[in-house]
Amino acid sequence: MREYIQNKWNEKGFKDLTPIQEATKELIQNGEDVVAVSPTGTGKTLAYLLPLLEKIEVNHELQAVILVPSQELAQQIGEVIREWKLPELTMLVLAGGANVKRQIENLKKKPELVVGTPGRLTELANQKKLKLHKVQTLVLDEADYLLAQEHLEQTRSFIKKCPSQRQMICFSATKNEILESIHQWINMTPKWVEQDQQMARNGNVKHVYIESPIRKKDELLRKFANMKEYQALVFVNSLANAGILAEKLQYHNIPCALLTSNENQINRKAAIQAFKKGEVPILLTTDVAARGLDIEDLPVVIHYDLPENKEVYTHRSGRTGRMGKDGLVISFVTEKEVRDLKKLIPDDAKLEAFQVHSSQLQVAQKKKVVEKKTYKPKEKKGSAKKSYPSKDKKSFKPKKSLGKKK
């Protein structure tokens, strides 16, 4: 490491590199194309950022671009870069939702490093305001999302604007079919570094569920919000549901913040800050808005709505238990959804049933099995049971006819 990076490393109290940092450091420094897959909370951002900062020269030419899927992740990575970069190195965050005229004005500072979202970066490049001809390294953070079918064309469109002879670095917590065959979609011959969930186990992350009818889930969340020792990032499946749930909580005087893609950047930033400062116990969000979101020491993640697949469950749950710390993942499910949940959790995780009782989160009591009693009518005294011939054709024997005596 360069001296200024080593000093910051020591100042942070870090000791050894994490496995993903160790495995990718030399490859990135040597200019290799890299695809790295490692669970959330294992230090992926610093894994690509520190070798990148060591390579960048302060010469007022754009040398590296970090592509991310959301405004929040762009701002978050921007904050990390400001902590680790040399003071004289210029870095800009260029994400959608911000004032584009101000961004164009800031580009006159001639940054060496840019972090941004594909849409806004493409827009600025098309206007000839973002000069990409000297770019040497292109990073795709949350690569599985950027290369998903619905985002692939936009991502590829921006990549094509960069020089063909450049280093490509892709980092992700999970992989999809396109990422696995990335050489067919993007001009790169990557070295693969893959760390499975078990090897990179994040601390003691407990996976539990609480059974609740759909109509009573908001009531369950209110009970949870009243437990002072907990603060939770709560995932819902749609913008509409997030808004409705926020209104219900506020109606009952439960403070909460809302982080969704349709909010402006100022409101989104305020929501994150209020949650980080502990001013609100609940931060409601959707999958897109919370992609890559890093909230230090987040104790709880709640799946208010069950995610549609294991990949989404992994990304959501990875917001807690980061860098070896403990965490709790709670899913609000109906009785029928318990079976679906078991297919989503990590293969080596144990799933437990919990309940909220007397403002406490505790292990749920096992349901008592009630045997159904069949009703038998009482026989009246003095009455004898009449016997009837069986209707079964095989066992039925007709009575002998009574003929007249001769």
Side-chain angles (χ1 to χ4, degrees):
M1 289 184 188
R2 284 190 182 181
E3 188 178 351
Y4 75 95
I5 292 178
Q6 186 65 60
N7 291 339
K8 177 62 72 172
W9 185 270
N10 296 336
E11 185 186 313
K12 290 274 188 183
F14 296 159
K15 293 180 181 178
D16 299 326
L17 297 172
T18 66
I20 194 63
Q21 291 167 356
E22 186 72 54
T24 56
K25 180 184 176 183
E26 194 172 322
L27 293 172
I28 294 172
Q29 286 176 334
N30 292 340
E32 299 275 6
D33 290 342
V34 175
V35 174
V37 180
S38 181
T40 53
T42 53
K44 292 193 295 296
T45 302
L46 289 183
Y48 68 74
L49 188 57
L50 298 187
L52 195 58
L53 289 174
E54 289 189 339
K55 292 169 63 175
I56 295 175
E57 297 178 10
V58 181
N59 60 7
H60 305 296
E61 291 180 346
L62 182 59
Q63 299 155 59
V65 176
I66 300 172
L67 210 59
V68 298
S70 70
Q71 300 172 36
E72 281 68 40
L73 188 52
Q75 295 294 341
Q76 185 177 288
I77 291 173
E79 289 174 12
V80 176
I81 293 170
R82 291 184 189 100
E83 275 191 289
W84 289 88
K85 75 178 184 67
L86 284 169
E88 55 268 30
L89 188 143
T90 304
M91 181 277 306
L92 290 180
V93 174
L94 304 172
N99 188 303
V100 69
K101 290 182 180 179
R102 189 174 296 136
Q103 290 176 343
I104 291 171
E105 189 64 30
N106 285 336
L107 280 168
K108 293 177 182 178
K109 297 175 183 177
K110 296 183 178 179
E112 288 87 10
L113 174 60
V114 159
V115 184
T117 50
R120 180 53 55 89
L121 292 180
T122 301
E123 180 186 347
L124 291 169
N126 288 340
Q127 293 179 27
K128 310 295 183 185
K129 303 298 181 182
L130 182 65
K131 312 292 185 183
L132 300 169
H133 62 286
K134 292 287 183 74
V135 170
Q136 299 168 17
T137 305
L138 183 58
V139 179
L140 270 59
D141 196 325
E142 301 287 339
D144 63 326
Y145 184 89
L146 291 169
L147 297 174
Q149 197 65 51
E150 60 269 31
H151 309 295
L152 181 61
E153 276 311 306
Q154 189 177 49
T155 302
R156 288 180 73 198
S157 175
F158 178 77
I159 293 171
K160 287 175 183 177
K161 294 181 182 297
C162 298
S164 57
Q165 298 301 311
R166 40 84 192 107
Q167 181 185 25
M168 280 290 303
I169 300 170
C170 299
F171 270 75
S172 179
T174 57
K175 58 184 178 181
N176 55 23
E177 289 181 10
I178 295 174
L179 188 59
E180 287 180 319
S181 59
I182 194 167
H183 62 281
Q184 297 176 15
W185 301 93
I186 297 171
N187 180 26
M188 66 181 294
T189 52
K191 302 285 185 184
W192 271 82
V193 178
E194 193 167 352
Q195 203 174 18
D196 64 33
Q197 190 78 26
Q198 195 166 1
M199 283 174 63
R201 172 57 58 205
N202 302 334
N204 178 29
V205 178
K206 188 176 285 188
H207 296 261
V208 307
Y209 67 91
I210 302 176
E211 273 191 37
S212 169
I214 292 173
R215 67 183 184 279
K216 290 191 175 181
K217 280 188 178 183
D218 60 308
E219 183 183 331
L220 179 58
L221 188 58
R222 292 203 306 272
K223 289 179 181 178
F224 185 89
N226 286 321
M227 294 188 286
K228 294 180 181 179
E229 67 269 28
Y230 290 111
Q231 199 181 20
L233 183 64
V234 180
F235 284 92
V236 292
N237 286 346
S238 71
L239 294 172
N241 284 352
I244 292 168
L245 186 55
E247 288 177 4
K248 286 182 178 180
L249 291 173
Q250 288 161 3
Y251 177 80
H252 290 279
N253 299 315
I254 302 293
C256 70
L258 187 61
L259 177 66
T260 56
S261 56
N262 62 342
E263 292 285 333
N264 64 47
Q265 192 173 13
I266 295 171
N267 290 344
R268 288 158 69 146
K269 189 174 181 180
I272 294 171
Q273 290 303 317
F275 186 70
K276 285 183 175 180
K277 289 176 182 178
E279 295 171 1
V280 293
I282 298 293
L283 178 59
L284 298 170
T285 190
T286 56
D287 297 310
V288 175
R291 256 299 174 145
L293 189 64
D294 188 5
I295 299 171
E296 193 173 350
D297 299 329
L298 176 68
V300 182
V301 164
I302 293 177
H303 301 283
Y304 185 88
D305 294 325
L306 212 56
E308 61 183 33
N309 57 48
K310 194 165 187 170
E311 181 184 330
V312 176
Y313 184 93
T314 300
H315 279 284
R316 288 182 178 184
S317 303
R319 303 305 108 206
T320 187
R322 297 172 75 81
M323 297 301 288
K325 295 175 182 176
D326 292 346
L328 179 63
V329 179
I330 305 174
S331 298
F332 290 177
V333 293
T334 63
E335 188 176 355
K336 291 181 179 179
E337 288 176 326
V338 175
R339 186 182 297 176
D340 297 329
L341 176 60
K342 289 176 180 178
K343 297 174 184 176
L344 300 176
I345 64 170
D347 296 336
D348 59 340
K350 180 185 176 184
L351 187 62
E352 297 179 78
F354 269 53
Q355 64 183 13
V356 177
H357 181 69
S358 302
S359 298
Q360 293 291 324
L361 193 61
Q362 55 188 229
V363 177
Q365 295 178 352
K366 290 184 178 179
K367 293 180 180 179
K368 293 180 180 179
V369 179
V370 181
E371 292 183 4
K372 291 183 179 180
K373 294 181 180 180
T374 55
Y375 174 73
K376 293 181 180 180
K378 290 181 180 179
E379 295 179 11
K380 292 180 181 180
K381 289 183 180 179
S383 64
K385 280 187 178 180
K386 293 181 180 181
S387 56
Y388 297 93
S390 171
K391 291 181 181 179
D392 188 343
K393 290 181 181 179
K394 291 182 181 179
S395 60
F396 176 70
K397 293 181 180 180
K399 291 180 180 179
K400 292 179 181 179
S401 56
L402 299 175
K404 291 181 181 179
K405 289 181 182 180
K406 291 183 181 179

